[in-house]
Amino acid sequence: MTASFTIIAATFPDSVATSFSLMETAFGLGLIVGPTIGGALYQVGGFVLPFVINGGFLLLGFIILVFLLPRTEGERQNGPRNFCSFLFDGGILSYTFSIITCLLFIGFNSATLEPHLRQFNLTPVVLGVIFVITGAIYAVTTPIWGKVCDGNPLFINLSGSTMVCVGLLFIVLLWTVIGSLVLIGFGLSAKLVSSFVGALKSTISRGFPDNLATYGMVSALFSTSCSIGAFVGPSIGGLLLDTTGYRMGTVVIFALEAAFLIILLLYLFMVALKKKDKEASEREALLPRTYARRTYSYSSV
């Protein structure tokens, strides 16, 4: 995934958000279709067949990439390359936390939603459809957010976080669970797409070279953040389910999302102040300079 994100950013530098969103759509479709096909293959050929088929497709994909993958060469440009200076920035940390909270909810929900839905006595088909809702909305809406996100990723991230917070407030009854999962799917897609694009734009605007090395750092950060969230989410979910139950568990996830929303608002406020100061400085620089007349005194010799 890290290499894919890097190649996407290098190949389509003028439309990173759109290209990245299309790749995320494919990822979401894989998450939806994969369990269904895997279950069917398991019924036909047992435990081994799904892995054989998947391995065959991976090998086929490798052969196709050898011939079709464009050659990407990055230009050597001067600029900071230190990973610490890249990471310890308000924007990068905000986007990192955004990605982690996205995958944290997905992991939490996958581990705890089914026990919560048992009380409604749903059929396996309906239960499966409910589990697919968030992924389906995510896959469908990522291209839309990609089109919008080329402009202002920070605002899109804020909107996505707000939708996730609102959705988490109403996971109670069956119909509210379905509506919440739809809204959260919109929010997650907005957050993930805008986080990658925003992190890339923020890094380049701080003086990092616009080349493969920078794309690789941002892609690695994105993949690492996804892995952290995917690991922590189910772990916290199982613990919260055993100790507090699903409803109170969602309150904890809501608190984390709300904390991120507050951090993002503070960062937006700081960015706005910095932009205002910069514009004021530029206006002052454009004002005509007034020169005081010099008074010379001459003394007779």
Side-chain angles (χ1 to χ4, degrees):
M1 288 180 65
T2 303
S4 300
F5 297 150
T6 305
I7 293 170
I8 284 289
T11 307
F12 306 101
D14 297 327
S15 56
V16 175
T18 304
S19 305
F20 177 77
S21 65
L22 291 175
M23 191 169 67
E24 285 297 293
T25 298
F27 181 74
L29 290 174
L31 290 177
I32 296 170
V33 176
T36 305
I37 296 179
L41 292 174
Y42 178 80
Q43 285 186 335
V44 173
F47 181 77
V48 177
L49 185 60
F51 292 95
V52 173
I53 298 296
N54 192 39
F57 274 107
L58 288 174
L59 183 60
L60 178 63
F62 167 75
I63 296 172
I64 293 173
L65 288 176
V66 169
F67 294 100
L68 297 183
L69 192 66
R71 184 176 179 83
T72 306
E73 295 182 357
E75 298 179 0
R76 293 185 176 273
Q77 300 179 17
N78 295 325
R81 290 180 174 83
N82 186 274
F83 186 76
C84 291
S85 62
F86 157 72
L87 183 61
F88 293 107
D89 171 73
I92 295 298
L93 292 176
S94 298
Y95 290 126
T96 300
F97 194 30
S98 175
I99 299 166
I100 291 175
T101 53
C102 284
L103 273 295
L104 190 147
F105 169 78
I106 293 173
F108 167 83
N109 203 52
S110 63
T112 59
L113 181 60
E114 189 274 332
H116 175 68
L117 294 177
R118 289 175 189 170
Q119 59 182 310
F120 303 115
N121 298 318
L122 303 174
T123 63
V125 174
V126 175
L127 189 63
V129 170
I130 292 176
F131 266 91
V132 166
I133 288 175
T134 300
I137 296 297
Y138 174 83
V140 171
T141 56
T142 44
I144 300 173
W145 291 120
K147 287 289 185 182
V148 179
C149 199
D150 279 321
N152 191 347
L154 203 56
F155 178 75
I156 299 300
N157 204 290
L158 179 65
S159 302
S161 181
T162 304
M163 284 187 278
V164 172
C165 283
V166 173
L168 287 170
L169 289 175
F170 296 99
I171 299 184
V172 186
L173 303 175
L174 179 59
W175 67 273
T176 59
V177 168
I178 295 173
S180 296
L181 291 178
V182 171
L183 187 60
I184 290 172
F186 275 98
L188 292 179
S189 61
K191 288 180 65 179
L192 282 173
V193 174
S194 62
S195 293
F196 180 81
V197 178
L200 184 59
K201 288 186 175 182
S202 174
T203 302
I204 294 175
S205 67
R206 288 189 292 127
F208 281 78
D210 189 0
N211 60 11
L212 280 176
T214 301
Y215 303 154
M217 279 197 301
V218 176
S219 301
L221 179 66
F222 185 89
S223 300
T224 303
S225 303
C226 287
S227 300
I228 293 173
F231 170 75
V232 175
S235 304
I236 291 180
L239 178 63
L240 292 174
L241 186 65
D242 290 338
T243 55
T244 63
Y246 180 78
R247 180 57 185 157
M248 288 304 298
T250 57
V251 172
V252 175
I253 304 300
F254 170 81
L256 291 174
E257 190 67 38
F260 165 71
L261 187 58
I262 293 171
I263 293 172
L264 192 59
L265 285 171
L266 291 174
Y267 178 69
L268 273 170
F269 180 71
M270 292 173 58
V271 170
L273 284 180
K274 189 180 294 186
K275 184 178 180 181
K276 186 177 180 181
D277 292 340
K278 184 178 179 181
E279 290 176 351
S281 300
E282 290 176 351
R283 282 197 300 268
E284 289 178 1
L286 293 175
L287 290 176
R289 296 180 179 178
T290 58
Y291 296 92
R293 294 182 177 180
R294 297 180 179 178
T295 304
Y296 296 94
S297 60
Y298 297 91
S299 58
S300 57
V301 179

